[in-house]
Amino acid sequence: MAGGQDLNERSLYLLKTLVERYIQDGQPVGSRLLSKDPNLKLSPASIRNVMADLEEMGLIHSPHTSAGRVPTVSGYRLFVDSLLTVRPLASSELDQLQAGLHSETETASDLLGKASKLLSDVTKMAGVVTLPRRDSVSLRHIEFLPMSSTRVLVIFVTDTEEVHNKIIHTEKQFSPAELQQAANYLNSVFTGRSLAKIRELVVKDLEKDRHSVNRGMIDAVNMAQLAFAEQPNDDYVLSGETNLMGFSELSDMDRLKQLFEAFSQKHGVIHLLDQCLQADGVQIFIGEESGYSVFERCSLVTAPYSVNDEVVGVLGVIGPTRMAYEKVIPFVDVTAKLLGAALNPK
């Protein structure tokens, strides 16, 4: 990809102006239109020369039906990394986001749905929020209830106020008193720890000399291992996907069908969002950068959100590559911070 260091200031300004005009109007940008920019002070012929250089570098290209030019993925990338001026949110926009995620009584799932809809409403694109990774939430309380013979219902509450139910199959039958004893032991030892940490400690406990711990503790630890077995994080809340039908570059029926199928199958989208979990702040995938062909005309702007200073999920906006990045980036960034604050235990 061409870098900004290969271009002089005039060429960079022309590229910036071309990208901004294309994002605003959605029409290929010609030299005549650019020559009207008072800051360029270039003749249409000189502008055509600069545009030819930009095209040779793979930063812009000419659609078949037009004499104008549009940005390539490389052009957008250079624009986003080096030329973009991100404007802070207006106080009215910030108020809208804060009001949308104000939480007194809402559950975590209510807040995730609100965040997704909020992103969709403010950007007029699709908003997506991954569910908090179960590994990173902390245990508040656990109970075991006998179902039948070796089936036990596990109920555990996390620090995000979510109640999880799971049926486990044990090697032997337990009495209600034994199950209560196991729950008491696990609550005394593991409350306040993340599920990932519990799993790590459980494995260590099982590796200890079994003669040095009593049978009840071994049973409890065995049940904890079954209860907190690693599960794939394969879900998210999506809002406003029908907004994408309003963008001409995405409105081809076959393309839309593939996009909506990808949303419903989830695996590819989750894989993409999972890559953003490690990112520090806002991350942007433009077109084919996602490595996912169905998104080749889309951009994804994401930011991780945290609970107890630990990243638990990702939220973002999916839209056409021709999106107003300078507006979308701060919306995503601030919404991630507000969602994390709303999910933090009071």
Side-chain angles (χ1 to χ4, degrees):
M1 188 182 82
Q5 68 274 15
D6 302 326
L7 295 166
N8 60 31
E9 205 170 311
R10 187 178 64 178
S11 302
L12 287 170
Y13 181 79
L14 190 143
L15 176 65
K16 180 175 190 280
T17 307
L18 185 148
V19 175
E20 286 172 344
R21 286 308 294 253
Y22 181 63
I23 285 173
Q24 182 185 311
D25 302 335
Q27 298 297 323
V29 182
S31 54
R32 190 171 296 280
L33 184 64
L34 289 169
S35 68
K36 293 176 182 168
D37 187 307
N39 296 313
L40 266 176
K41 300 186 178 68
L42 289 173
S43 68
S46 298
I47 288 173
R48 279 195 293 275
N49 288 338
V50 176
M51 287 172 81
D53 291 342
L54 293 174
E55 190 160 11
E56 204 171 302
M57 297 174 82
L59 297 169
I60 60 176
H61 74 101
S62 174
H64 302 306
T65 53
S66 168
R69 302 290 187 277
V70 301
T72 62
V73 168
S74 297
Y76 278 124
R77 174 49 65 190
L78 179 57
F79 173 75
V80 165
D81 287 349
S82 309
L83 306 173
L84 185 66
T85 309
V86 174
R87 62 175 188 80
L89 295 183
S91 56
S92 59
E93 294 168 328
L94 192 54
D95 290 346
Q96 183 185 358
L97 293 181
Q98 285 175 323
L101 284 174
H102 180 66
S103 136
E104 290 300 330
T105 55
E106 271 116 342
T107 64
S109 56
D110 288 338
L111 284 167
L112 300 178
K114 279 189 161 188
S116 174
K117 186 169 187 318
L118 201 52
L119 284 170
S120 167
D121 288 347
V122 296
T123 64
K124 303 293 183 281
M125 289 180 264
V128 61
V129 183
T130 65
L131 303 193
R133 295 180 79 79
R134 249 189 50 177
D135 275 10
S136 50
V137 297
S138 300
L139 177 69
R140 188 168 277 186
H141 184 74
I142 189 165
E143 284 180 48
F144 296 113
L145 299 175
M147 298 282 286
S148 61
S149 65
T150 58
R151 289 164 73 239
V152 174
L153 175 64
V154 186
I155 303 169
F156 63 94
V157 184
T158 65
D159 60 345
T160 54
E161 301 294 344
E162 293 290 284
V163 179
H164 299 266
N165 301 312
K166 183 178 181 181
I167 292 173
I168 60 174
H169 298 266
T170 56
E171 288 179 4
K172 64 172 202 176
Q173 192 164 351
F174 290 96
S175 69
E178 287 171 323
L179 292 176
Q180 184 62 58
Q181 187 185 0
N184 291 345
Y185 170 71
L186 295 174
N187 283 322
S188 67
V189 174
F190 294 132
T191 296
R193 294 189 182 271
S194 74
L195 303 195
K197 188 67 180 172
I198 292 173
R199 198 158 48 238
E200 184 190 317
L201 294 170
V202 161
V203 171
K204 280 184 184 162
D205 279 356
L206 286 175
E207 286 169 354
K208 279 183 188 170
D209 181 3
R210 288 173 178 264
H211 300 299
S212 66
V213 286
N214 70 43
R215 183 71 238 173
M217 283 167 62
I218 291 174
D219 288 339
V221 166
N222 274 320
M223 281 194 281
Q225 190 171 38
L226 292 170
F228 300 123
E230 198 157 3
Q231 290 190 334
N233 190 62
D234 63 352
D235 212 357
Y236 55 74
V237 185
L238 183 70
S239 301
E241 59 270 42
T242 52
N243 288 340
L244 302 179
M245 298 167 77
F247 295 97
S248 57
E249 55 268 62
L250 300 178
S251 60
D252 169 79
M253 282 317 292
D254 284 343
R255 191 177 298 281
L256 274 175
K257 189 168 170 238
Q258 289 175 355
L259 202 52
F260 279 56
E261 275 175 8
F263 289 149
S264 67
Q265 287 169 0
K266 297 193 174 181
H267 307 305
V269 183
I270 280 290
H271 176 70
L272 188 54
L273 292 167
D274 274 352
Q275 294 176 47
C276 308
L277 278 169
Q278 313 308 323
D280 186 16
V282 174
Q283 187 166 352
I284 301 164
F285 291 100
I286 302 170
E288 68 249 17
E289 289 178 351
S290 68
Y292 201 33
S293 61
V294 75
F295 279 158
E296 63 184 13
R297 294 205 178 178
C298 295
S299 283
L300 175 63
V301 179
T302 69
Y305 66 91
S306 302
V307 175
N308 292 328
D309 297 323
E310 188 171 355
V311 171
V312 298
V314 172
L315 56 72
V317 167
I318 300 168
T321 50
R322 182 181 67 85
M323 67 165 68
Y325 293 95
E326 81 283 356
K327 294 179 182 173
V328 174
I329 289 168
F331 272 130
V332 169
D333 191 27
V334 171
T335 305
K337 291 180 173 70
L338 290 174
L339 177 61
L343 287 170
N344 265 302
K346 305 294 181 286

